[in-house]
Each structure stands twice: as structure tokens, then as C-alpha cells.
Amino acid sequence: MRYRSTRGEAPLVSADKALRAGVAPDGGLYLPETLPHFEPGDFASDASLGTLASRLLAPFFAGSPLAQPLDAICASAFDFPLPLVTPDAQEPGLQVLELFHGPTGAFKDFGARFLFRAFDAIASADDPITVLAATSGDTGGAVGCAAEGARHARAVILFPKGRISAFQERQLCCWREPVTALRVSGDFDACQRLVKTAFADTRLSARHGLTSANSISIGRLLPQMAYWASASLDVFSKTGLKPGLIVPTGNLGNAFAAVLARACGLPIGPIVLATNANATLSDWHTSGQYSARQSIATLANAMDVGAPSNFERLSCFGDELIEDVVRIDDDAIRARITACQQGSGYIACPHTATALEAFARMTPERKAARPWIAAATAHPYKFADVVEPLTGVSLTPPPALAEVLQRPVHVSDIDATIEALAAQLGAPARA
């Protein structure tokens, strides 16, 4: 399998080189040159998530140094539960895919754990990797956790000052070597621009072996296909119907992973995107015209993206791949969190609430046409400052998140300039 740039001006590369580069030399994002095709019967009904992921991803890593260790990488990366739950008995056609049972309580654990295990398999002490990760919340925590203790890869995490929850910030800054947390004076898009600028600086990139763990990395997207495959196969085997997916999204990585899985033949029906008040995607879907803009801060802050990077990938596949984009503002997020808890006892984080609200707005006919799966992207405890006042419920952190509160934090403040970032990349490791 070889990988091409979305901009078509870079050479084709193998999977390991695409993962290592993060971004193509022409500034584009990597896509598989071709896609494999699967049938539901290609996957054993009793397969673990790691086994299913290895079967699904094998064609994408064929011919690369990652082909041989792929089984072990998947088994190690996907070693936590992936439950499908029915949050409301009054709405049996909706199931929630809880993606927050990994070590940092967010769906980003899937891609980050896979990616760092892959990096350790292809890097060496003489040829190390530096991962730059811009984050508006959950990505950085997952990257930091996955990187802690890595042998040949370090992580440098950039996050916007004052734009994430207190717990999220602590979770970004609590990891031991080889992890560095940088608090940037700017919004998420400013952090993302810094990462892209660093990649475009060939001298800086070569000096530090720079690559990405954001969803601009194809190595983050490919493993995220696994949970969409698992959930859709489970529902299809029980109902004979292809479920629709409702995906909370900001940078479009989670959504594009679903698009890829469907394009490979997994039994997935329509894909609906739930966004927050940032209007870039909803305006595009309504008008057909894409216009990036400044992001605005919302309760669902991991989705606060005004210029979603993966739109470049989506546009290569065709605009018709997304059936609907539903824009959910903060008032509607609050109302849905409250309504869920009062109606069924189910407690959702603000991001998950956007997906639940998108389902609630469907017509009865649309709801009844097929089963629906909504992604629950983060544990509600990570947003206790929002959720607890709305529900009146005191949330208890799962053990992995409770441990974060006991860890010391390490963080440096920087301006949103490439000079400030370069200085941090060249700084000696902290004690």
C-alpha cells in the first residue's frame, strides 16, 4: 500500500513514511492510493477489537516495516472496553458507542496509543521522532499518556491558553518524560498553524524528526476506523440493517475515519455530523461553499475548530459523503445534558450531547428507518464543571482520571510564534 498527497504534488510513499512525515512535502495530507474492500463475513463475530483492527488495517500497512508488528501493536493499543449502550429505553433505535473507556477518558486514546506503538517500531535511538500535537482538549492528554515512557519518540503538546477546562489542562501537563506541554497565547487554530509552520520548515523538521499525532496524521485516522467497524458490524449482525452514525466533530478526523470505514465496505449507512456553534461545516453543507474562519469558544471545546484540517481529505472523496451537518449551540448542549439525565439518567459530556441533540432533532420517520449509533467521545467527568451544575449529580472519576489529579504538572507558556516553538524544541529536557 502506498500513500498519496491530497494536493497531488508529492511522491507516493509507504505507510511508515506517511506516518513519520505526518504532512506531505507539498503541504497536503496523506491518503491511501487505493482502498481495500471488505465484506461483513471477513470479520469473526467473536473477534476482539485488537484482532478486528489488525484484520482491517493489514492492507493499509502491507509492504511496510509495520506489517510484521501490526498484530502486537493492535493488541496492545486496543486493550480496553468498547461498549454500545442504549441510553434511553424510550428511544431503542439509538445506541451510544462509548469511546471513553481508555486511559485518558476520550476517543483519542485509540489513535494515540496505536500511533506511538507504531513510532517505537519504526524509530531508533539514532533516528528518533518528535511528535507535535496541537490540541483543544482531548488529543494532548491521549498523546501525552501514549508517549510516556516511549523509547524513541517524544511528544510536544501545544494547547490554547484559557480555552480548555481545568481538568483537561491538568491532563495535558501531567505526563513524565519524554513529554513537553506548551501553553500557547492564542486559540486552537493558532496552535495548529504553529504545527503546520514547523512542518513546513524543512531545516527545523529534519533537525528534530518532526511528525504529527493530530488527525492530520494518517496514522491517527486509520486506527479510528476500527471502532466504527466494530460497532457497525455488531448492529448489522443483529438487525440486518446498516446503522447511521452521528459523529461529534471539529477537525473532522473522527468523521473522516467513519467515511473511510464505509468506503472500505463496512456496513455503515448515512453519516451525520454534529458540530458546536462553530459554523464552518454547517455553512458548507448548507451552501456548498467552504469558508474557514476564526474559531469561537464553546462548552464542547474539543470541537472548537474554525478551519478543520481534514476537510481537505473529505473534499477529495466528494461532498455527497455526509448526509447532514447539525449545528448545536451552547444553550442546546446544556438543555440536552439536562434532559438526558432527567429523562433516563444517562450523563453525557458536552461533545456527546451534540450528537444526542442531533438525533433528537430527527423526524420520527428518519429515526425509524434504521438503527443509529451516536459517538460518546469523552467521559463526562472531564467536564464536571459544566455537567455537575446541570444535572445535580456529583461525578466520580474513573481510576485512570483520578490518578491524573495526583500527578505533578509541568508546563511552559509561549507566544504563538514559530520562534518561540523552535526555542522549546531545542531546549534541554526537563529534570
Side-chain angles (χ1 to χ4, degrees):
M1 175 72 74
R2 297 187 301 174
Y3 290 79
R4 62 181 177 89
S5 169
T6 51
R7 301 183 186 179
E9 298 177 5
L12 296 171
V13 298
S14 59
D16 58 300
K17 287 183 170 54
L19 263 67
R20 184 148 197 162
V23 177
D26 61 0
L29 305 182
Y30 281 115
L31 283 172
E33 184 182 22
T34 59
L35 292 179
H37 183 79
F38 295 97
E39 299 291 339
D42 293 333
F43 302 91
S45 60
D46 59 349
S48 68
L49 181 61
T51 299
L52 183 152
S54 182
R55 174 73 180 91
L56 176 67
L57 298 178
F60 293 94
F61 293 96
S64 83
L66 289 166
Q68 189 277 329
L70 184 63
D71 288 351
I73 289 171
C74 290
S76 174
F78 305 133
D79 63 349
F80 47 87
L82 181 65
L84 264 174
V85 304
T86 302
D88 188 349
Q90 302 301 312
E91 294 280 11
L94 175 67
Q95 290 184 282
V96 169
L97 181 63
E98 291 189 341
L99 301 173
F100 54 69
H101 293 278
T104 71
F107 79 96
K108 307 292 179 70
D109 283 322
F110 290 91
R113 286 164 66 82
F114 179 93
L115 193 58
F116 270 90
R117 283 155 176 77
F119 284 152
D120 253 6
I122 61 176
S124 67
D126 295 328
D127 189 20
I129 288 173
T130 297
V131 173
L132 284 185
T135 181
S136 56
D138 293 327
T139 295
V143 165
C145 180
E148 190 175 70
R151 296 168 297 163
H152 307 309
R154 64 167 172 159
V156 179
I157 301 165
L158 294 82
F159 66 93
K161 184 176 182 178
R163 302 291 287 267
I164 63 176
S165 73
F167 181 85
Q168 282 179 310
E169 179 162 333
R170 173 171 280 275
Q171 194 176 41
L172 297 180
C173 303
C174 71
W175 309 109
R176 296 184 292 271
E177 288 291 347
V179 182
T180 300
L182 301 177
R183 187 165 47 206
V184 178
S185 296
D187 60 13
F188 170 76
D189 294 323
C191 296
Q192 191 159 252
R193 281 192 297 272
L194 275 181
V195 170
K196 289 183 176 181
T197 302
F199 289 152
D201 185 327
T202 54
R203 186 177 301 176
L204 185 68
S205 185
R207 184 185 308 144
H208 297 290
L210 299 184
T211 190
S212 173
N214 286 82
S215 58
I216 58 176
S217 167
I218 194 68
R220 261 279 309 279
L221 287 177
L222 293 177
Q224 289 179 249
M225 294 168 57
Y227 52 72
W228 292 125
S230 176
S232 64
L233 287 165
D234 181 80
V235 172
F236 183 74
S237 70
K238 294 173 180 174
T239 66
L241 297 171
K242 296 180 180 180
L245 305 183
I246 309 173
V247 188
T249 194
N251 210 31
L252 274 174
N254 203 5
F256 190 73
V259 168
L260 272 183
R262 186 174 62 183
C264 290
L266 276 300
I268 294 171
I271 297 172
V272 173
L273 306 187
T275 73
N276 59 19
N278 285 276
T280 301
L281 293 174
S282 58
D283 286 355
W284 155 73
H285 194 262
T286 300
S287 69
Q289 302 298 313
Y290 174 81
S291 179
R293 64 199 68 191
Q294 196 79 9
S295 65
I296 61 174
T298 76
L299 294 179
N301 55 39
M303 296 157 58
D304 290 350
V305 181
S309 296
N310 282 292
F311 188 84
E312 187 165 337
R313 284 187 171 114
L314 187 67
S315 62
C316 287
F317 270 57
D319 294 350
E320 73 282 356
L321 295 171
I322 302 300
E323 184 183 70
D324 200 3
V325 179
V326 185
R327 185 180 174 197
I328 315 295
D329 64 20
D330 279 359
D331 286 343
I333 289 173
R334 292 186 184 95
R336 182 51 47 190
I337 291 172
T338 301
C340 283
Q341 193 280 325
Q342 291 179 348
S344 66
Y346 191 80
I347 297 178
C349 85
H351 311 81
T352 306
T354 66
L356 298 177
E357 177 65 14
F359 178 79
R361 294 183 186 184
M362 289 183 183
T363 64
E365 294 76 18
R366 193 178 183 197
K367 289 179 179 180
R370 65 183 66 250
W372 288 91
I373 299 172
T377 56
H379 194 284
Y381 180 80
K382 299 184 78 170
F383 302 89
D385 55 339
V386 174
V387 173
E388 288 184 343
L390 294 171
T391 63
V393 175
S394 180
L395 301 178
T396 301
L401 298 187
E403 195 225 341
V404 166
L405 299 173
Q406 308 305 315
R407 285 172 166 251
V409 299
H410 309 272
V411 63
S412 297
D413 289 285
I414 68 167
D415 293 329
T417 66
I418 190 61
E419 292 80 12
L421 175 58
Q424 288 292 331
L425 290 173
R430 58 174 167 78

